[in-house]
Amino acid sequence: MNVEIDRRPIWIIVISKGLRPLFFLGLGLLFLYLINLPTPEGLTIQGQRAISLFVVCMILWVTGMLPLAITSLFAIVTVPLLGILDRKETYALFGNEAVFFILGAFIIAGAVMHSGLSSRIALAIMNRFGSTQTGLLASIYLLAASLSFFMSEHAVAAMLFPIVLEIAKGLNLRPGKSSYGKALFLSLAWGCVIGGVATFLGGARVPLAVGMLKEATGVNIDFFEYMVVVFPTVLILLLIGYLGVTKFFPSEIEDMHLAKMLFDRKMKEIGKIAYMEYSVGIVMAITIFFWMFFGAWLGIANIAIVSVVGLFVLKLVRWKDIEEYVNWGIILMYGGAITLGTAMERSGAAAWIANTVISDWASSPYAIIAVFSLLTILLTEGMSNAAVIAILLPVGIGMAGKFNIEPKIITYAIAVPAGLAFCFPMSTPANAIAVSSGYVTTRDMAKAGAVMMLLAWIVFNLVARFYWPMVGIKV
Amino acid sequence: MKNTYLHNPGYLKIDLMLKGIRVDGRVLKKAGFDKCRDLIDIACGLDIILPYSTWVTVPYIEDFAQESPYELIERDGRFFIFDGSGSVDVSVVATPEFYKLKTSTGIPLSNIGLVHGGYITITPATQCDFFNKNIECRYCAGNLDIQGGKGRVYTVDEVLETVGAAYKEGKAEIVYLSIGFSDTSDGGIEFLKPYITAIKRNFNTLIAIEALPPKENRWVDESYAVGADSVLYNLEIFDEKLFKEICPGRDKLIGRERYLEALRYAATIFPNGTVASHLIVGLEPVESTMAGIDFFTKIGVVPILPVYRPRVEAKLTQYRILSTEEVAPVYGHLYNAVAANSINTNWVRDISIVTTPLEGRFFVGDEARMKTFKQNFYKTRLGLKAAWALATLRRKLRVSTSSKDI
């Protein structure tokens, strides 16, 4: 917890603090106004209430006036109170498979980190390939990306950060000045961001999107299918990202022996691989295997929870060891988002918005993908990627119905770009961690990130246009 | 006719501080004054209130005081200072009753807290690591040896009992916490934090802290956030060369530049007029002290100017004691500089051991009616509550704690 002192003139602070109650008062009045408007043609009264609630939640998610989880809890209690869904149904949605998958994934990742296995892998790879400046940069970048295939990108960034910081200091790179220092931390951030969209495990947003899709339409996307569809985008972006980092921030150093010495020392410090690391690694590998090949049959949440139980049966982890890795706020937030999304869908509100409001924006399926992916990639730079999904997906699924597009396609068009935040530290914790080093500035990140964001959007749409049909996704 | 300062409280205060006063035991007894606890205590002396609520702590027990032209006399229950040519009506501050009390752990409360003017001054740990390294400030008479454990560390409860007793008796308005040097990056705020928090939780009062400049500015933020309403980082000597000579510990382990930087930063965090620094008058040329006054006031810091007087057991004794006439212009300059830079003078008030900036008005002939009216208001019960409420509101508005929220 950091103390911050607002040094603005006191009258400005008073006004800005006074805005908060005014904001909530205004929001309450807006809600009352929307709910009391005459119900438009083609929309049910439940649909009108769902839209009113959706607008309020959207404003709260975008402005961040309340923590995302609290907005979600507000949505959960308000849905039955307004009679949009009944109580039992509403609270049952909180037990969605996606929520339990996320919970299981948090615990498994926590066990891997707690055992020290993830740090060992990171150090071993950097030790092996980090003897040249390009090798070190590439190994950090690819390591961040590949670890983010298997665990939350935020956790990967947090885990690798102290190691990269030590490397930067060990090489005597000047914070804010060294071009190679900027490249190292941008590699860390971008590796996590790009790798994080590759599988269900890189962040909780993909399971959220899949969960919302399943609740709304009954359609499922399994672990393997998602990887097949998304992997080319990830590979191309990894290549572009690496070229971008090296182009924007060319290395100014040649002598790498200090970094090598650091790795040697660190490797000695962690000693030989322990029983706990072996065991957790095996559980993780088995879990991923089942997710990939039996996920559709057994259910990814079931596999995750069985693995968690296994970790405890084998005494590989204690509850207090992993408690700090479980982000209960995220879990609450996702439960609420799924509830609200389902309320929008079942009340007919999402379809009504798609038919009457957004249908003019796009005239073809590819245009819809382009518009939604663009909206998503822009919004995710400024707000939580989960909130972007919670806002756009219910409407997107409604649009899919109008244009006879598979709802899966819209889900991809939103879930994948929602993770591709390159520009700002507030966009995603991986970026924030990189900027917090002092080596890369917000300006550096914004400059290089804007180019990367544009390229990512183009690559995603090109892959959708030319590759997706090859794997059976008909647009 | 003999030159007299009796009718100018500013001059009289300085003259009394420099020359002391003669007083016999019978008068002291009538005034309800007991001897001070320790001769090496910087604030040892007789607390007298001169006209215009001008508080002064006057040496009376030291040898030089026996040669003073001033004498405290009592007539019909009233007290006067007599200088051979005339007299002026004054009040003598009786020794607080709570000095006779002990904490529940058996420590005399007067060991923990001493009242001076409107302040109760408390040093929870009477230790300074400079003494261990033989780099203590050369004028200091403390011998505050950490390892020697001369003074024990008072607990939060003991401090609370002392503050409670002082406030119950109505003897203080503000708590002044201080700490000596310890080699930490926080300047002592981590140590003082539990005391500040506990005092704020139990009393509606303002707190001033005297500490060392922390190595990082975030500790200045922390000081304000935990509840300090005023902060003092005492540079003591503005002249660079003399600072090195007289304050070797401060020079080596903190550095003059860090003092100035921390003060400059603190002035942007704390309210106007609540960041202060001592400059000792008499240990450097008055021109240098005046340059320090100009520098500090320009960055929003209040210079507080004690007059140098060698203390018993201090290493620095070779300095000539300046006369009142020599130091008076410095205080006039202080008043003008503070006014020119619009620095609030309400906070630094009723200090008996130094001349406050507002008391500087006596040296330039300014009545400063508005300022004294405001200061007098803040000394009333209503004013004290208003000051506390405003300080609390300001902190509430300015301080926020950030933690990652999803």
Side-chain angles (χ1 to χ4, degrees), chain B residues 127-367:
Chain B
Q127 300 167 334
C128 178
D129 201 23
F130 287 152
F131 282 89
N132 294 327
K133 303 177 194 305
N134 200 27
I135 47 173
E136 74 277 11
C137 303
R138 299 309 181 204
Y139 52 81
C140 186
N143 191 20
L144 308 170
D145 179 352
I146 281 182
Q147 278 135 28
K150 178 172 174 131
R152 60 167 282 196
V153 175
Y154 301 117
T155 66
V156 170
D157 287 341
E158 287 165 345
V159 167
L160 284 180
E161 283 182 57
T162 309
V163 174
Y167 276 49
K168 191 174 173 189
E169 201 183 327
K171 284 291 181 183
E173 299 160 355
I174 294 167
V175 179
Y176 187 101
L177 292 170
S178 66
I179 185 168
F181 175 77
S182 60
D183 203 359
T184 57
S185 64
D186 59 86
I189 188 63
E190 277 289 281
F191 172 80
L192 290 176
K193 201 167 157 182
Y195 297 94
I196 298 170
T197 311
I199 292 168
K200 282 279 175 180
R201 195 164 45 231
N202 287 278
F203 305 97
N204 292 342
T205 188
L206 299 171
I207 297 177
I209 58 166
E210 181 189 325
L212 280 304
K215 286 180 182 156
E216 295 152 8
N217 285 341
R218 71 186 173 94
W219 292 110
V220 178
D221 295 352
E222 184 85 13
S223 307
Y224 181 65
V226 295
D229 299 289
S230 170
V231 68
L232 288 91
Y233 300 136
N234 293 332
L235 181 66
E236 312 288 10
I237 312 287
F238 190 71
D239 181 85
E240 249 181 288
K241 190 165 162 282
L242 289 169
F243 177 72
K244 280 182 204 290
E245 280 173 20
I246 299 172
C247 304
R250 290 171 198 253
D251 175 54
K252 281 186 187 139
L253 300 180
I254 299 167
R256 182 175 180 272
E257 281 310 307
R258 180 58 198 149
Y259 265 94
L260 302 182
E261 169 55 28
L263 284 163
R264 186 194 304 273
Y265 181 76
T268 68
I269 298 297
F270 283 78
N272 180 4
T274 63
V275 178
S277 182
H278 284 183
L279 290 175
I280 302 174
V281 179
L283 287 184
E284 62 184 324
V286 289
E287 296 76 25
S288 175
T289 304
M290 287 189 185
I293 291 170
D294 291 340
F295 181 86
F296 280 152
T297 49
K298 275 193 183 122
I299 62 170
V301 171
V302 184
I304 295 181
L305 312 177
V307 182
Y308 178 65
R309 242 242 85 105
R311 312 300 307 179
V312 179
E313 292 184 19
K315 289 184 180 170
L316 195 70
T317 52
Q318 79 276 24
Y319 276 75
R320 179 179 71 84
I321 298 167
L322 297 179
S323 68
T324 302
E325 292 76 15
E326 285 172 296
V327 299
V330 179
Y331 291 98
H333 186 77
L334 169 67
Y335 177 76
N336 289 331
V338 164
N341 290 285
S342 307
I343 292 177
N344 185 348
T345 52
N346 292 326
W347 179 271
V348 184
R349 64 168 189 261
D350 294 345
I351 305 180
S352 52
I353 54 177
V354 295
T355 295
T356 66
L358 190 53
E359 287 166 358
R361 72 188 188 275
F362 297 124
F363 301 93
V364 293
D366 187 351
E367 290 189 11

Side-chain angles (χ1 to χ4, degrees), chain A residues 86-152:
Chain A
D86 69 33
R87 273 206 312 274
K88 272 190 178 173
E89 194 181 4
T90 303
Y91 286 102
L93 288 168
F94 198 80
N96 185 284
E97 192 181 0
V99 174
F100 281 88
F101 171 73
I102 293 162
L103 176 63
F106 278 145
I107 295 176
I108 295 167
V112 171
M113 289 182 75
H114 185 76
S115 71
L117 177 64
S118 45
S119 303
R120 177 183 297 282
I121 293 169
L123 273 173
I125 292 174
M126 284 193 254
N127 192 32
R128 173 73 183 79
F129 300 104
S131 52
T132 62
Q133 34 95 0
T134 46
L136 179 63
L137 197 66
S139 62
I140 290 172
Y141 184 62
L142 294 175
L143 189 63
S146 52
L147 284 174
S148 299
F149 296 171
F150 306 109
M151 54 201 286
S152 157

Side-chain angles (χ1 to χ4, degrees), chain A residues 27-49:
Chain A
L27 196 62
L29 291 174
L30 174 69
F31 182 59
L32 286 176
Y33 172 73
L34 290 174
I35 222 161
N36 287 306
L37 278 176
T39 308
E41 201 181 321
L43 186 64
T44 62
I45 184 74
Q46 284 81 8
Q48 183 182 6
R49 288 171 182 173

